[in-house]
Structure formats: C-alpha cells, structure tokens
Amino acid sequence: MGVLGHSTSPVFAKAMLDAVRLSGGPTGTEIQPVVMVSGTDQIELESAFVTFVNERLDAIVVQGSLPIKPVTDLAIKHGIPTSGSARAFAENGGLLSFGADGPSTFRHGARFVGRILQGKLPRDIPIEQPTKFDLAVNLKTAKAIGVTIPETFLLRAEAVIK
C-alpha cells in the first residue's frame, strides 16, 4: 500500500504516515512507497501516480490536505483504489473515506469556543477525541476501477455513493 502525502504540511504528513504504518503493522501490510507532493502541481501528481503504477500497488492512502479531485481523477485513470479521511474524498471520486464525522467535529469545536467565550481558560478544558466516525464508499469509482465491494462492508457504511 502506498501513501500520498502533502510536503507543504510536514507535521500533519508525519502524523498521518505514522498512523498508516501503525495500522499496517498488525496485518503485515507493507507501506511503501511514500510519495510527498506539494499538492498543486499536476505534473508532480502525475509523476506520483507513475511511481505507484510502477510499484504495482494494491491501494493508496491519501493525506486529507491534498486537492481531492485531481488525485481521485488520476487514481481512477490508473485503476488504483484510494482512501482518504474526509467524506468529501469519496464523494469526489475516491473509493472510500473513513474519518471523524465532519459536522459532529465542527459542532464539538463550537462548544469549546463557547466555553472560552464564557471565560474558561483553554488550559482548563480537557482535550477530547472524536467519538463519531464516518465510512463512505463510492460504488461508481469501484465499478470504474474494477473493484467489487462486499455487501457486508457496504452495510457498515454511513454513505454509499452510487
């Protein structure tokens, strides 16, 4: 499995890469190559996909801060399954997305802002992790790249894009 990271976001890229490697470990999934791109240069993105094709990857994990549509278009063109963290990734052509539920996260953030505006000091507010996660699967993309998604997997998805 390959990783497409965003070189202009090195802290987030490292955190994402560490998480991908950690999750690949127990399953014995080899995580390579890791290709870092600036995110805005189409030639650079195309070069990254040439690398992925040459490596004969099974799939690519895409960092969430990269532009979605150019990445998903190239993935479909080359027949490579991709996953990202935001539902918009699957809605815009990625095979699947799994991550914290966006609207829930924003509402939760607004509650934190409200506490601060009411006079609470940020250091006195406990850090919380997301508790609601969202799985989206794009069946149009699956069909375009020749991947069959098991019905049992689709039943777990919050969104199935047809």
Side-chain angles (χ1 to χ4, degrees):
M1 178 175 299
V3 175
L4 184 61
H6 200 176
S7 63
T8 60
S9 180
V11 172
F12 184 52
K14 182 184 179 328
M16 188 259 320
L17 183 57
D18 289 348
V20 169
R21 285 187 171 140
L22 182 65
S23 64
T27 62
T29 303
E30 187 177 352
I31 309 298
Q32 69 173 17
V34 174
V35 179
M36 303 299 284
V37 296
S38 67
T40 56
D41 183 351
Q42 186 68 23
I43 293 171
E44 188 179 24
L45 285 172
E46 289 175 8
S47 175
F49 274 87
V50 167
T51 298
F52 293 138
V53 168
N54 289 341
E55 292 289 327
R56 301 179 190 267
L57 297 178
D58 292 323
I60 302 169
V61 175
V62 179
Q63 185 172 340
S65 57
L66 287 167
I68 296 171
K69 195 64 175 147
V71 170
T72 58
D73 286 349
L74 284 166
I76 292 169
K77 174 183 172 184
H78 292 288
I80 302 173
T82 54
S83 71
S85 58
R87 182 185 282 200
F89 187 81
E91 290 171 344
N92 286 284
L95 179 61
L96 65 89
S97 63
F98 182 75
D101 177 66
S104 174
T105 301
F106 288 123
R107 283 190 299 275
H108 198 73
R111 284 194 293 275
F112 273 85
V113 171
R115 291 178 195 161
I116 292 167
L117 292 174
Q118 292 170 351
K120 285 251 188 202
L121 295 174
R123 71 172 179 243
D124 295 335
I125 301 173
I127 295 173
E128 299 176 25
Q129 295 291 323
T131 56
K132 185 173 184 217
F133 293 85
D134 191 47
L135 171 64
V137 180
N138 189 318
L139 290 181
K140 288 191 320 191
T141 298
K143 183 177 180 180
I145 64 175
V147 171
T148 302
I149 307 294
E151 187 67 31
T152 54
F153 188 78
L154 294 174
L155 292 173
R156 296 174 181 229
E158 282 74 27
V160 177
I161 298 130
K162 295 179 181 183

